């Protein structure tokens, strides 16, 4: 099991870009593989999760070639050969690794095929709830068995079925559920609709539009007539704001620091973290370069003494993956930060309420745990500690950031999982110690206190 040792830093002046967006890379592999021609996808995230989805599409007939690969686990450019909606039966069960997005979206894809398939994953994925997708898919006529030791959990055996459209009112705000039903809807005769309780990340809707699949969006209701053929297109994946979040918190909480993150996705359903760090006192600007399809641009941030905040209920789905690192920012801020309405955190790669609270306490933070979140009484100095990732990439990275502020060394145990979303994280962690960006590269005026 690999470990990462982190020492405190006293300033951060850097400029870099983060790897491609995980959510968008999964979808690019799926829609590229379904399309009616060849798609070139640049800046595809070459992390374990996304490579598993790409391999899954390959096993369903969609061949791909890597046409460019950068060093240090850098982004890759791919050419995917779309199958014009005609997938072939895989010869073996499909491994989704650690990825809930991969498994749930692929289940939607496979639900309406004329062959049987099986999806499986690692121990963490095999304990995550799949009923949230098997229920609506069953309503559409799918026949999916959950074969896991835990009821309602993977492996999933998906039998050949013909689907009919439904209008599905989602009980949880989940982009994965929305996407699974919409992808299944492509194979149903008639119009499938999904109604979400609150806005969730809209990458599926944007990607459907990029592939010229017509959808109707009325508030939180998304409808799609089945039987449409995604038209092949080239796609550039923006940097992942959830990966940028680690550096944004490091910079926000370090008074006087400056950081420029380039070419990152600025989709408004993903940028709630910027509002939260702004409310806590950091100075942030977003500069959007291109707002067609997936908005992309730069984020510039200046650190400040932070104060606690309350996360709004409607913000939660738009920063759900950033909560562990926001909790670290909260521990470094003065005053209380309230994170509630976030029960979904309990069914992520780990129970992220427990793993965040447990590790914050190990580092000396004062935290109260609730069923749906936590309150962090910030401002207590952090001390280095032995941290367990429990195999959760975002826990490993969030606590590496905490280690930058702690007295004494912080050792994160079990850091292999970082490769599921951010290969190259350790390299960037090392780089921020040495980088010195020229002040003229920044737009925000320097503040002197
Ligand atoms: C994702 C949606 C979110 C998020 C996950 C990626 C997606 O999950 O936590 O990391 O790509 O659709 P839910 O939609 O289930 O909350």
């Amino acid at each position: 099991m690999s470990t990462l040792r982190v020492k405190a830093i006293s300033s951060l002046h850097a400029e870099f870009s983060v790897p491609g967006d995980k959510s968008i890379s999964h979808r690019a592999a799926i829609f590229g593989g379904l399309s009616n021609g060849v798609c070139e996808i640049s800046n595809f995230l070459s992390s374990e999760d996304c490579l598993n989805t790409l391999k899954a599409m390959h096993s369903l007939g969609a061949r791909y070639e890597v046409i460019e690969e950068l060093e240090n686990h850098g982004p890759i450019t791919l050419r995917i050969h779309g199958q014009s909606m005609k997938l072939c039966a895989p010869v073996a069960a499909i491994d989704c690794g650690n990825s809930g997005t991969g498994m749930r979206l692929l289940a939607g894809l496979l639900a309406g095929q004329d062959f049987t398939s099986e999806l499986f994953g690692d121990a963490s994925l095999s304990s995550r709830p799949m009923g949230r997708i098997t229920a609506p898919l069953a309503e559409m006529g799918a026949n999916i068995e959950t074969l896991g030791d835990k009821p309602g959990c993977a492996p999933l055996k998906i039998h050949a079925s013909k689907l009919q459209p439904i209008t599905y009112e989602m009980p949880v705000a989940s982009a994965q559920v929305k996407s699974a039903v919409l992808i299944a809807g492509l194979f149903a005769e008639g119009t499938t609709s999904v109604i979400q309780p609150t806005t969730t990340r809209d990458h599926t809707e944007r990607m459907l539009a990029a592939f010229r699949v017509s959808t109707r969006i009325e508030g939180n209701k998304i409808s799609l007539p089945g039987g449409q053929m995604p038209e092949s297109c080239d796609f550039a994946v923006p940097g992942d704001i959830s990966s940028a979040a680690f550096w944004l918190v490091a910079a926000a909480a370090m008074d006087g620091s400056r950081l420029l993150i380039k070419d990152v996705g600025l989709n408004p359903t993903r940028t709630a973290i910027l509002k939260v760090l702004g409310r806590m006192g950091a100075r942030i600007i977003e500069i959007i370069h291109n707002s067609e399809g997936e908005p992309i641009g730069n984020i510039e941030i200046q650190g400040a003494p932070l104060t606690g905040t309350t996360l709004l209920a409607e913000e939660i789905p738009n920063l759900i993956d950033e909560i562990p690192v926001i909790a670290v920012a909260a521990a470094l801020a003065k005053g209380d930060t309230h994170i509630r309405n976030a029960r979904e955190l309990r069914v992520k790669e780990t129970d992220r309420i427990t793993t965040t609270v447990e590790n914050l306490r190990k580092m000396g933070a004062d935290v109260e745990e609730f069923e749906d979140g936590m309150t962090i009484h910030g401002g207590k100095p952090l001390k280095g500690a032995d941290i367990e990732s429990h195999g959760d990439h975002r826990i490993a990275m969030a606590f590496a950031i905490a280690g930058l502020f702690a007295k004494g060394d912080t050792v994160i145990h079990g850091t292999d999982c970082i490769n599921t979303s951010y290969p190259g994280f350790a390299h960037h962690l090392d780089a921020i110690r040495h980088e010195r960006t020229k002040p003229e590269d920044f737009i925000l005026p320097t503040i002197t206190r």
Side-chain angles (χ1 to χ4, degrees), residues 25 63 99 206 224 251 290 341 362 366 380 429-430 440:
S25 296
R63 277 186 304 114
S99 176
R206 288 176 192 257
L224 153 159
N290 189 349
N341 305 293
K362 272 193 187 166
D366 183 1
K380 284 185 94 185
L429 189 65
D430 194 40
E440 58 269 27

PDB file of all heavy atoms in Angstrom, residues 25 63 99 206 224 251 290 341 362 366 380 429-430 440:
ATOM      1  N   SER A  25     -15.198  12.892 -18.978  1.00  0.00           N
ATOM      2  CA  SER A  25     -14.458  11.835 -19.684  1.00  0.00           C
ATOM      3  C   SER A  25     -15.281  10.548 -19.770  1.00  0.00           C
ATOM      4  O   SER A  25     -15.330   9.908 -20.826  1.00  0.00           O
ATOM      5  CB  SER A  25     -13.116  11.566 -18.991  1.00  0.00           C
ATOM      6  OG  SER A  25     -12.296  12.709 -19.072  1.00  0.00           O
ATOM      7  N   ARG A  63     -14.102   0.374 -30.716  1.00  0.00           N
ATOM      8  CA  ARG A  63     -12.634   0.383 -30.694  1.00  0.00           C
ATOM      9  C   ARG A  63     -12.127   1.797 -30.435  1.00  0.00           C
ATOM     10  O   ARG A  63     -12.802   2.775 -30.782  1.00  0.00           O
ATOM     11  CB  ARG A  63     -12.093  -0.036 -32.067  1.00  0.00           C
ATOM     12  CG  ARG A  63     -12.019  -1.516 -32.296  1.00  0.00           C
ATOM     13  CD  ARG A  63     -11.324  -1.798 -33.621  1.00  0.00           C
ATOM     14  NE  ARG A  63     -11.960  -1.140 -34.758  1.00  0.00           N
ATOM     15  CZ  ARG A  63     -11.399  -0.178 -35.493  1.00  0.00           C
ATOM     16  NH1 ARG A  63     -10.185   0.263 -35.223  1.00  0.00           N
ATOM     17  NH2 ARG A  63     -12.046   0.347 -36.521  1.00  0.00           N
ATOM     18  N   SER A  99     -15.597   2.877  -9.744  1.00  0.00           N
ATOM     19  CA  SER A  99     -16.381   4.013 -10.229  1.00  0.00           C
ATOM     20  C   SER A  99     -17.899   3.830 -10.234  1.00  0.00           C
ATOM     21  O   SER A  99     -18.459   3.085 -11.045  1.00  0.00           O
ATOM     22  CB  SER A  99     -15.931   4.346 -11.654  1.00  0.00           C
ATOM     23  OG  SER A  99     -16.740   5.373 -12.162  1.00  0.00           O
ATOM     24  N   ARG A 206     -25.442  18.467 -21.714  1.00  0.00           N
ATOM     25  CA  ARG A 206     -24.570  19.228 -22.625  1.00  0.00           C
ATOM     26  C   ARG A 206     -23.925  18.312 -23.654  1.00  0.00           C
ATOM     27  O   ARG A 206     -23.726  18.681 -24.806  1.00  0.00           O
ATOM     28  CB  ARG A 206     -23.489  19.965 -21.827  1.00  0.00           C
ATOM     29  CG  ARG A 206     -24.045  21.150 -21.050  1.00  0.00           C
ATOM     30  CD  ARG A 206     -22.963  21.795 -20.207  1.00  0.00           C
ATOM     31  NE  ARG A 206     -23.527  22.744 -19.263  1.00  0.00           N
ATOM     32  CZ  ARG A 206     -23.502  24.067 -19.403  1.00  0.00           C
ATOM     33  NH1 ARG A 206     -22.904  24.613 -20.448  1.00  0.00           N
ATOM     34  NH2 ARG A 206     -24.040  24.851 -18.502  1.00  0.00           N
ATOM     35  N   LEU A 224     -36.236  13.311 -23.467  1.00  0.00           N
ATOM     36  CA  LEU A 224     -35.465  12.909 -24.652  1.00  0.00           C
ATOM     37  C   LEU A 224     -36.237  11.829 -25.418  1.00  0.00           C
ATOM     38  O   LEU A 224     -36.591  10.808 -24.831  1.00  0.00           O
ATOM     39  CB  LEU A 224     -34.117  12.442 -24.139  1.00  0.00           C
ATOM     40  CG  LEU A 224     -33.186  11.461 -24.770  1.00  0.00           C
ATOM     41  CD1 LEU A 224     -31.809  11.716 -24.210  1.00  0.00           C
ATOM     42  CD2 LEU A 224     -33.571  10.052 -24.509  1.00  0.00           C
ATOM     43  N   ALA A 251      -4.688  27.311  -1.519  1.00  0.00           N
ATOM     44  CA  ALA A 251      -4.377  28.725  -1.746  1.00  0.00           C
ATOM     45  C   ALA A 251      -5.294  29.622  -0.918  1.00  0.00           C
ATOM     46  O   ALA A 251      -4.845  30.606  -0.324  1.00  0.00           O
ATOM     47  CB  ALA A 251      -4.528  29.052  -3.231  1.00  0.00           C
ATOM     48  N   ASN A 290     -14.352  30.237 -23.070  1.00  0.00           N
ATOM     49  CA  ASN A 290     -15.245  29.671 -24.070  1.00  0.00           C
ATOM     50  C   ASN A 290     -16.467  29.150 -23.349  1.00  0.00           C
ATOM     51  O   ASN A 290     -16.356  28.325 -22.442  1.00  0.00           O
ATOM     52  CB  ASN A 290     -14.510  28.511 -24.776  1.00  0.00           C
ATOM     53  CG  ASN A 290     -15.297  28.032 -25.971  1.00  0.00           C
ATOM     54  OD1 ASN A 290     -16.455  28.401 -26.155  1.00  0.00           O
ATOM     55  ND2 ASN A 290     -14.672  27.189 -26.782  1.00  0.00           N
ATOM     56  N   ASN A 341     -27.627  18.496   5.212  1.00  0.00           N
ATOM     57  CA  ASN A 341     -28.317  18.053   3.980  1.00  0.00           C
ATOM     58  C   ASN A 341     -27.378  17.319   3.037  1.00  0.00           C
ATOM     59  O   ASN A 341     -27.532  17.364   1.815  1.00  0.00           O
ATOM     60  CB  ASN A 341     -28.921  19.254   3.218  1.00  0.00           C
ATOM     61  CG  ASN A 341     -29.831  20.086   4.086  1.00  0.00           C
ATOM     62  OD1 ASN A 341     -30.893  19.616   4.489  1.00  0.00           O
ATOM     63  ND2 ASN A 341     -29.400  21.290   4.418  1.00  0.00           N
ATOM     64  N   LYS A 362      -8.265  13.449  14.087  1.00  0.00           N
ATOM     65  CA  LYS A 362      -6.884  12.971  14.277  1.00  0.00           C
ATOM     66  C   LYS A 362      -5.891  14.119  14.168  1.00  0.00           C
ATOM     67  O   LYS A 362      -4.825  14.096  14.768  1.00  0.00           O
ATOM     68  CB  LYS A 362      -6.536  11.956  13.179  1.00  0.00           C
ATOM     69  CG  LYS A 362      -6.897  10.538  13.516  1.00  0.00           C
ATOM     70  CD  LYS A 362      -6.207   9.628  12.510  1.00  0.00           C
ATOM     71  CE  LYS A 362      -6.656   8.201  12.664  1.00  0.00           C
ATOM     72  NZ  LYS A 362      -6.265   7.386  11.521  1.00  0.00           N
ATOM     73  N   ASP A 366     -11.802  20.371  15.788  1.00  0.00           N
ATOM     74  CA  ASP A 366     -12.979  20.190  16.633  1.00  0.00           C
ATOM     75  C   ASP A 366     -14.201  20.050  15.710  1.00  0.00           C
ATOM     76  O   ASP A 366     -14.599  21.019  15.054  1.00  0.00           O
ATOM     77  CB  ASP A 366     -13.081  21.445  17.530  1.00  0.00           C
ATOM     78  CG  ASP A 366     -14.229  21.349  18.521  1.00  0.00           C
ATOM     79  OD1 ASP A 366     -14.932  20.320  18.523  1.00  0.00           O
ATOM     80  OD2 ASP A 366     -14.417  22.323  19.283  1.00  0.00           O
ATOM     81  N   LYS A 380      -8.666  25.745  15.306  1.00  0.00           N
ATOM     82  CA  LYS A 380      -7.683  25.059  16.166  1.00  0.00           C
ATOM     83  C   LYS A 380      -6.487  24.672  15.303  1.00  0.00           C
ATOM     84  O   LYS A 380      -6.674  24.195  14.174  1.00  0.00           O
ATOM     85  CB  LYS A 380      -8.307  23.781  16.767  1.00  0.00           C
ATOM     86  CG  LYS A 380      -9.269  24.066  17.912  1.00  0.00           C
ATOM     87  CD  LYS A 380      -9.758  22.790  18.531  1.00  0.00           C
ATOM     88  CE  LYS A 380      -8.902  22.403  19.724  1.00  0.00           C
ATOM     89  NZ  LYS A 380      -9.293  21.088  20.275  1.00  0.00           N
ATOM     90  N   LEU A 429       1.724  18.118  -6.006  1.00  0.00           N
ATOM     91  CA  LEU A 429       1.938  18.433  -4.587  1.00  0.00           C
ATOM     92  C   LEU A 429       3.397  18.841  -4.370  1.00  0.00           C
ATOM     93  O   LEU A 429       3.699  19.752  -3.591  1.00  0.00           O
ATOM     94  CB  LEU A 429       1.586  17.205  -3.741  1.00  0.00           C
ATOM     95  CG  LEU A 429       1.546  17.384  -2.234  1.00  0.00           C
ATOM     96  CD1 LEU A 429       0.427  18.339  -1.826  1.00  0.00           C
ATOM     97  CD2 LEU A 429       1.321  16.042  -1.526  1.00  0.00           C
ATOM     98  N   ASP A 430       4.263  18.177  -5.086  1.00  0.00           N
ATOM     99  CA  ASP A 430       5.680  18.492  -4.989  1.00  0.00           C
ATOM    100  C   ASP A 430       5.967  19.825  -5.697  1.00  0.00           C
ATOM    101  O   ASP A 430       6.694  20.686  -5.195  1.00  0.00           O
ATOM    102  CB  ASP A 430       6.451  17.338  -5.648  1.00  0.00           C
ATOM    103  CG  ASP A 430       7.909  17.390  -5.311  1.00  0.00           C
ATOM    104  OD1 ASP A 430       8.203  17.693  -4.142  1.00  0.00           O
ATOM    105  OD2 ASP A 430       8.732  17.161  -6.215  1.00  0.00           O
ATOM    106  N   GLU A 440       3.006  39.344 -12.975  1.00  0.00           N
ATOM    107  CA  GLU A 440       2.261  39.939 -14.101  1.00  0.00           C
ATOM    108  C   GLU A 440       1.285  38.937 -14.742  1.00  0.00           C
ATOM    109  O   GLU A 440       0.428  39.314 -15.534  1.00  0.00           O
ATOM    110  CB  GLU A 440       3.193  40.557 -15.147  1.00  0.00           C
ATOM    111  CG  GLU A 440       4.208  39.630 -15.760  1.00  0.00           C
ATOM    112  CD  GLU A 440       5.540  39.622 -15.010  1.00  0.00           C
ATOM    113  OE1 GLU A 440       5.542  39.898 -13.793  1.00  0.00           O
ATOM    114  OE2 GLU A 440       6.573  39.327 -15.649  1.00  0.00           O
TER     115      GLU A 440
END
